[in-house]
Amino acid sequence: MGKRIAFIGGGNMASAIIGGLIRQGFSAADIDVVEPWDEARARLAKDFGLSPQAEAGAFLAGADLIVWAVKPQTFKEAAAAVRAHNQNALHLSVAAGITSASIAQWLGSERIIRTMPNTPALIGKGITALYARPAVTQADKDWANEVIATTGATVWLTAEAQLDAVTAISGSGPAYMFYFMEAMTDAGARMGLEREQAYQLAVATFIGAGELARASTEPPETLRAKVTSKGGTTYAAITSMDESGVKDLFAKALFAAHQRAGELGAEFGKA
């Protein structure tokens, strides 16, 4: 990649991207991190050989790309500190809800790409949706894609509003999977399995079903139907869920996440 990258925030998502970059041969010497927490800085130094700084400074002037891995509620304050040192970089945000218009105003730049990754990025199995403002060049997009692709798959969006839906589906999505794993593990234990056995079965089933769906050209309803013989065990389970309105309740939960993503932008993204 041959350029210098700075991360504002050194938490899990920043660590996922940094780890992916280093695995792909990017030099740790070309990575700067601003991270206020002592423990987080110590971890970044230990895990990646970095020299993180507690606050923004003149060293940021050399960054060609700045990755914003901060909480939505701290973005505006952090942007003010960074803007004093660099107004020429390409900016890549992983903060939920904060619009590119707010980021552009805070930073005095139109070279803004918003993204929504998810936590499987920590093991290189994530999926990230990206949206670029009109001023972002194709070369900028290609570079951003190269950086984010170190953590998994990428999907480019044509409308920024779609990012709230991505947040609800894949950004928050791993938590839904873990939630169902919890339920399957609890039920398995109540049925007489060892808890660890039930958990192992639940995890393997999610992984296997996901891989089967990815390898297949058939829609999920067809894949489900193939497992659901009328009068059988799967049929009993699906019928029970349908009678309880599980699909509608799950959709309601997704829309709640979608609404909250928009609220975050309105609450913390005011210019």
Side-chain angles (χ1 to χ4, degrees), residues 116-118 166-177 257:
M116 177 44 59
N118 61 8
V166 172
T167 301
I169 301 299
S170 61
S172 298
Y176 314 150
M177 304 301 104

PDB file of all heavy atoms in Angstrom, residues 116-118 166-177 257:
ATOM      1  N   MET A 116     -19.557   0.363   7.682  1.00  0.00           N
ATOM      2  CA  MET A 116     -20.159  -0.371   8.798  1.00  0.00           C
ATOM      3  C   MET A 116     -19.610  -1.794   8.758  1.00  0.00           C
ATOM      4  O   MET A 116     -20.054  -2.628   7.975  1.00  0.00           O
ATOM      5  CB  MET A 116     -21.693  -0.377   8.706  1.00  0.00           C
ATOM      6  CG  MET A 116     -22.381  -1.195   9.798  1.00  0.00           C
ATOM      7  SD  MET A 116     -21.739  -0.993  11.490  1.00  0.00           S
ATOM      8  CE  MET A 116     -21.973   0.751  11.757  1.00  0.00           C
ATOM      9  N   PRO A 117     -18.612  -2.072   9.596  1.00  0.00           N
ATOM     10  CA  PRO A 117     -18.049  -3.418   9.689  1.00  0.00           C
ATOM     11  C   PRO A 117     -18.809  -4.235  10.739  1.00  0.00           C
ATOM     12  O   PRO A 117     -19.803  -3.767  11.304  1.00  0.00           O
ATOM     13  CB  PRO A 117     -16.611  -3.142  10.135  1.00  0.00           C
ATOM     14  CG  PRO A 117     -16.739  -1.898  10.971  1.00  0.00           C
ATOM     15  CD  PRO A 117     -17.898  -1.108  10.419  1.00  0.00           C
ATOM     16  N   ASN A 118     -18.357  -5.445  11.002  1.00  0.00           N
ATOM     17  CA  ASN A 118     -18.876  -6.200  12.139  1.00  0.00           C
ATOM     18  C   ASN A 118     -17.747  -6.978  12.815  1.00  0.00           C
ATOM     19  O   ASN A 118     -16.628  -7.056  12.293  1.00  0.00           O
ATOM     20  CB  ASN A 118     -20.053  -7.107  11.747  1.00  0.00           C
ATOM     21  CG  ASN A 118     -19.701  -8.166  10.716  1.00  0.00           C
ATOM     22  OD1 ASN A 118     -18.549  -8.359  10.360  1.00  0.00           O
ATOM     23  ND2 ASN A 118     -20.707  -8.862  10.237  1.00  0.00           N
ATOM     24  N   VAL A 166     -27.681  -1.579   7.039  1.00  0.00           N
ATOM     25  CA  VAL A 166     -26.523  -2.469   7.205  1.00  0.00           C
ATOM     26  C   VAL A 166     -26.185  -2.628   8.686  1.00  0.00           C
ATOM     27  O   VAL A 166     -25.882  -3.726   9.165  1.00  0.00           O
ATOM     28  CB  VAL A 166     -25.304  -1.929   6.430  1.00  0.00           C
ATOM     29  CG1 VAL A 166     -24.051  -2.730   6.759  1.00  0.00           C
ATOM     30  CG2 VAL A 166     -25.575  -1.958   4.930  1.00  0.00           C
ATOM     31  N   THR A 167     -26.257  -1.514   9.421  1.00  0.00           N
ATOM     32  CA  THR A 167     -26.005  -1.561  10.863  1.00  0.00           C
ATOM     33  C   THR A 167     -26.945  -2.551  11.536  1.00  0.00           C
ATOM     34  O   THR A 167     -26.536  -3.350  12.382  1.00  0.00           O
ATOM     35  CB  THR A 167     -26.188  -0.162  11.485  1.00  0.00           C
ATOM     36  OG1 THR A 167     -25.289   0.745  10.853  1.00  0.00           O
ATOM     37  CG2 THR A 167     -25.901  -0.190  12.974  1.00  0.00           C
ATOM     38  N   ALA A 168     -28.222  -2.504  11.138  1.00  0.00           N
ATOM     39  CA  ALA A 168     -29.222  -3.384  11.744  1.00  0.00           C
ATOM     40  C   ALA A 168     -29.030  -4.843  11.349  1.00  0.00           C
ATOM     41  O   ALA A 168     -29.262  -5.747  12.161  1.00  0.00           O
ATOM     42  CB  ALA A 168     -30.620  -2.922  11.341  1.00  0.00           C
ATOM     43  N   ILE A 169     -28.596  -5.098  10.121  1.00  0.00           N
ATOM     44  CA  ILE A 169     -28.496  -6.472   9.634  1.00  0.00           C
ATOM     45  C   ILE A 169     -27.160  -7.120   9.990  1.00  0.00           C
ATOM     46  O   ILE A 169     -27.117  -8.130  10.701  1.00  0.00           O
ATOM     47  CB  ILE A 169     -28.700  -6.518   8.104  1.00  0.00           C
ATOM     48  CG1 ILE A 169     -30.072  -5.943   7.727  1.00  0.00           C
ATOM     49  CG2 ILE A 169     -28.552  -7.946   7.583  1.00  0.00           C
ATOM     50  CD1 ILE A 169     -31.251  -6.696   8.308  1.00  0.00           C
ATOM     51  N   SER A 170     -26.065  -6.549   9.524  1.00  0.00           N
ATOM     52  CA  SER A 170     -24.772  -7.204   9.732  1.00  0.00           C
ATOM     53  C   SER A 170     -23.928  -6.562  10.820  1.00  0.00           C
ATOM     54  O   SER A 170     -23.148  -7.253  11.485  1.00  0.00           O
ATOM     55  CB  SER A 170     -23.972  -7.230   8.420  1.00  0.00           C
ATOM     56  OG  SER A 170     -23.711  -5.913   7.950  1.00  0.00           O
ATOM     57  N   GLY A 171     -24.072  -5.238  11.007  1.00  0.00           N
ATOM     58  CA  GLY A 171     -23.283  -4.583  12.051  1.00  0.00           C
ATOM     59  C   GLY A 171     -23.614  -5.134  13.426  1.00  0.00           C
ATOM     60  O   GLY A 171     -22.744  -5.522  14.202  1.00  0.00           O
ATOM     61  N   SER A 172     -24.912  -5.191  13.738  1.00  0.00           N
ATOM     62  CA  SER A 172     -25.377  -5.760  15.004  1.00  0.00           C
ATOM     63  C   SER A 172     -25.610  -7.262  14.890  1.00  0.00           C
ATOM     64  O   SER A 172     -25.808  -7.937  15.909  1.00  0.00           O
ATOM     65  CB  SER A 172     -26.688  -5.084  15.430  1.00  0.00           C
ATOM     66  OG  SER A 172     -26.508  -3.703  15.647  1.00  0.00           O
ATOM     67  N   GLY A 173     -25.602  -7.774  13.678  1.00  0.00           N
ATOM     68  CA  GLY A 173     -25.983  -9.157  13.410  1.00  0.00           C
ATOM     69  C   GLY A 173     -25.280 -10.234  14.222  1.00  0.00           C
ATOM     70  O   GLY A 173     -25.927 -11.199  14.656  1.00  0.00           O
ATOM     71  N   PRO A 174     -23.947 -10.142  14.444  1.00  0.00           N
ATOM     72  CA  PRO A 174     -23.310 -11.192  15.241  1.00  0.00           C
ATOM     73  C   PRO A 174     -23.944 -11.385  16.609  1.00  0.00           C
ATOM     74  O   PRO A 174     -24.042 -12.513  17.103  1.00  0.00           O
ATOM     75  CB  PRO A 174     -21.859 -10.691  15.356  1.00  0.00           C
ATOM     76  CG  PRO A 174     -21.642  -9.920  14.101  1.00  0.00           C
ATOM     77  CD  PRO A 174     -22.955  -9.213  13.859  1.00  0.00           C
ATOM     78  N   ALA A 175     -24.415 -10.295  17.217  1.00  0.00           N
ATOM     79  CA  ALA A 175     -25.063 -10.416  18.525  1.00  0.00           C
ATOM     80  C   ALA A 175     -26.340 -11.253  18.432  1.00  0.00           C
ATOM     81  O   ALA A 175     -26.667 -12.001  19.364  1.00  0.00           O
ATOM     82  CB  ALA A 175     -25.382  -9.039  19.102  1.00  0.00           C
ATOM     83  N   TYR A 176     -27.071 -11.132  17.303  1.00  0.00           N
ATOM     84  CA  TYR A 176     -28.275 -11.945  17.146  1.00  0.00           C
ATOM     85  C   TYR A 176     -27.910 -13.428  17.076  1.00  0.00           C
ATOM     86  O   TYR A 176     -28.595 -14.274  17.654  1.00  0.00           O
ATOM     87  CB  TYR A 176     -29.041 -11.576  15.862  1.00  0.00           C
ATOM     88  CG  TYR A 176     -29.226 -10.107  15.598  1.00  0.00           C
ATOM     89  CD1 TYR A 176     -29.311  -9.635  14.291  1.00  0.00           C
ATOM     90  CD2 TYR A 176     -29.329  -9.182  16.634  1.00  0.00           C
ATOM     91  CE1 TYR A 176     -29.491  -8.294  14.011  1.00  0.00           C
ATOM     92  CE2 TYR A 176     -29.510  -7.828  16.366  1.00  0.00           C
ATOM     93  CZ  TYR A 176     -29.585  -7.394  15.051  1.00  0.00           C
ATOM     94  OH  TYR A 176     -29.749  -6.058  14.779  1.00  0.00           O
ATOM     95  N   MET A 177     -26.835 -13.724  16.342  1.00  0.00           N
ATOM     96  CA  MET A 177     -26.397 -15.121  16.234  1.00  0.00           C
ATOM     97  C   MET A 177     -26.011 -15.677  17.604  1.00  0.00           C
ATOM     98  O   MET A 177     -26.374 -16.797  17.967  1.00  0.00           O
ATOM     99  CB  MET A 177     -25.211 -15.236  15.268  1.00  0.00           C
ATOM    100  CG  MET A 177     -25.447 -14.686  13.865  1.00  0.00           C
ATOM    101  SD  MET A 177     -26.808 -15.481  12.984  1.00  0.00           S
ATOM    102  CE  MET A 177     -28.084 -14.213  13.106  1.00  0.00           C
ATOM    103  N   ALA A 257     -33.156  -1.729  15.734  1.00  0.00           N
ATOM    104  CA  ALA A 257     -31.736  -1.421  15.530  1.00  0.00           C
ATOM    105  C   ALA A 257     -31.570  -0.382  14.430  1.00  0.00           C
ATOM    106  O   ALA A 257     -30.753   0.545  14.541  1.00  0.00           O
ATOM    107  CB  ALA A 257     -30.967  -2.693  15.171  1.00  0.00           C
TER     108      ALA A 257
END
